[in-house]
């Protein structure tokens, strides 16, 4: 299922919202979390029912290893904790390499995003940035939350858990803001990006005819198409989450206004670049 489908817009999303906000009783948060989790699984399984087991397997692996890592970190046995962190990272990267880069299987949607998000959690547990989560269903919702499955942003456990699991009451003001963000996202994807794609296809259809200034124009159109398509998707994601009262991090901050290439990458896909900075590049630099 994709965000632009009629099924998602007219049936799935309205149904999730209705069920979510009509949950009664003193255990409202618990049941609402369960509602989001079940609908997130349904969203993922709609197009790829087989690969839902891959996401569940990855979730269980990181939940168990995260709990064990947290147990030994609390007892100052960091070398033992490191074993479980390493085991989790190896399993996740192996799955990612096999399914995403080997090219022998159908690519499971969102595998990069939920894999990085899940690995970030267990590494933060080892570093003492956050405590291990005891409730497997809360952790599973953190991994599978359906708005961010398609293209991020990649959330951190310590940040998302505060807004994901707090009590949410329906707010017309927040609902209108979320709808406006969603509409703006669809406009960027379906009007700007799709129209730009037509122009780009025309220029690239015959390089012997479209040369010189046309080649430069093609580069500009491609940049517009890529930015509108990507940021439009993120706008839709953030807008959908806002309908539930859940705040997701911004992923782009006007990258084309950057003064340097380094600043550009800090503003482009912020959650991904910061993930690699904190979990790959920084550890590699201090290990030398």
């Amino acid at each position: 299922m994709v965000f632009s489908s009629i099924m998602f817009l007219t049936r799935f999303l309205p149904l999730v919202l209705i069920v979510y906000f009509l949950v009664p009783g003193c255990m409202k948060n618990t049941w609402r979390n369960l509602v989001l989790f079940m609908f997130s699984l349904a969203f993922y399984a709609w197009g790829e029912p087989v690969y839902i087991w891959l996401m569940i397997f990855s979730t269980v692996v990181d939940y168990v290893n995260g709990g064990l890592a947290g147990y030994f970190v609390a007892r100052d046995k960091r070398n033992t904790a490191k074993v479980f962190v390493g085991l989790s990272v190896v399993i996740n990267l192996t799955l990612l390499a096999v399914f995403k880069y080997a090219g022998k299987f159908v690519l499971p949607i969102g595998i990069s995003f939920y894999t990085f998000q899940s690995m970030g959690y267990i590494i933060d547990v080892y570093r003492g940035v956050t405590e291990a989560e005891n409730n497997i269903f809360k952790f599973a919702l953190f991994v599978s939350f359906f708005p961010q499955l398609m293209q991020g942003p990649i959330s951190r456990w310590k940040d998302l858990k505060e807004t994901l699991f707090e009590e949410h009451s329906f707010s017309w003001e927040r609902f209108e803001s979320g709808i406006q963000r969603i509409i703006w996202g669809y406009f960027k994807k379906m009007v700007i990006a799709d129209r730009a794609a037509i122009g780009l296809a025309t220029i690239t259809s015959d390089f012997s005819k479209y040369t010189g200034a046309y080649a430069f124009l093609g580069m500009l159109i491609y940049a517009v198409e890529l930015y509108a398509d990507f940021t439009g998707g993120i706008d839709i994601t953030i807008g959908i989450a806002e309908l539930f009262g859940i705040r997701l991090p911004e992923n782009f901050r006007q990258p084309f206004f950057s003064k340097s290439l380094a600043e550009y990458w800090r503003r482009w896909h912020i959650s991904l670049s910061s993930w690699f900075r904190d979990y790959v590049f920084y550890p590699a630099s201090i290990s030398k």
Side-chain angles (χ1 to χ4, degrees):
M1 191 182 304
V2 294
F3 292 155
S4 59
S5 69
I6 298 299
M7 172 67 73
F8 177 81
L9 290 171
T10 62
R11 298 182 184 181
F12 183 85
L13 183 57
L15 181 61
V16 183
L17 287 166
I18 292 171
V19 176
Y20 183 80
F21 283 111
L22 288 183
V23 170
C26 60
M27 296 181 66
K28 184 181 294 186
N29 276 11
T30 300
W31 285 107
R32 282 183 172 177
N33 292 338
L34 182 59
V35 166
L36 277 183
F37 175 59
M38 297 305 296
F39 274 102
S40 293
L41 292 183
F43 175 85
Y44 193 83
W46 187 266
E48 296 178 336
V50 175
Y51 289 123
I52 192 174
W53 299 109
L54 183 65
M55 183 172 68
I56 292 174
F57 173 75
S58 180
T59 299
V60 172
V61 165
D62 289 332
Y63 171 78
V64 172
N65 285 325
L68 291 170
Y71 175 85
F72 287 108
V73 166
R75 285 153 182 77
D76 202 26
K77 297 181 178 180
R78 302 190 67 83
N79 287 334
T80 305
K82 189 182 295 184
V83 172
F84 295 103
V85 176
L87 178 62
S88 184
V89 169
V90 168
I91 292 174
N92 278 290
L93 291 183
T94 300
L95 292 174
L96 188 62
V98 170
F99 284 92
K100 187 174 179 65
Y101 300 113
K104 296 182 180 180
F105 302 92
V106 176
L107 179 64
I109 61 173
I111 186 172
S112 296
F113 298 107
Y114 73 71
T115 297
F116 289 158
Q117 189 159 297
S118 188
M119 283 196 300
Y121 157 79
I122 191 171
I123 294 172
D124 281 345
V125 169
Y126 172 76
R127 292 176 175 175
V129 174
T130 187
E131 294 182 355
E133 174 56 46
N134 294 323
N135 189 322
I136 189 173
F137 292 105
K138 284 188 174 182
F139 179 71
L141 176 57
F142 162 75
V143 175
S144 64
F145 184 46
F146 75 90
Q148 60 181 20
L149 268 178
M150 301 297 291
Q151 56 184 22
I154 303 171
S155 300
R156 309 290 178 95
W157 168 256
K158 64 183 179 64
D159 298 326
L160 185 57
K161 71 174 183 177
E162 300 298 330
T163 181
L164 187 59
F165 304 127
E166 68 183 7
E167 184 173 347
H168 304 120
S169 57
F170 183 79
S171 165
W172 275 113
E173 181 180 358
R174 185 179 62 237
F175 187 82
E176 290 175 0
S177 176
I179 291 294
Q180 290 172 5
R181 187 75 181 260
I182 292 170
I183 293 174
W184 176 233
Y186 280 120
F187 177 81
K188 287 201 287 187
K189 284 181 69 70
M190 303 179 72
V191 177
I192 299 177
D194 287 357
R195 300 289 78 76
I198 295 173
L200 182 62
T202 301
I203 293 175
T204 57
S205 64
D206 188 351
F207 287 109
S208 62
K209 179 180 180 181
Y210 297 102
T211 60
Y214 284 108
F216 180 73
L217 179 60
M219 294 172 58
L220 293 180
I221 293 177
Y222 177 71
V224 170
E225 179 198 1
L226 186 64
Y227 179 76
D229 184 67
F230 214 161
T231 60
I234 293 297
D235 287 333
I236 295 171
T237 294
I238 293 176
I240 292 173
E242 190 174 359
L243 298 180
F244 296 94
I246 297 168
R247 300 176 300 277
L248 293 180
E250 295 291 341
N251 218 22
F252 295 86
R253 294 191 185 279
Q254 299 177 319
F256 293 126
F257 290 92
S258 302
K259 298 179 181 178
S260 65
L261 185 60
E263 183 182 357
Y264 172 84
W265 285 115
R266 288 195 298 269
R267 294 184 175 198
W268 179 276
H269 209 321
I270 298 170
S271 64
L272 181 62
S273 60
S274 64
W275 193 95
F276 276 100
R277 179 196 66 209
D278 295 341
Y279 299 114
V280 179
F281 300 138
Y282 178 71
S285 66
I286 64 175
S287 64
K288 295 180 179 179

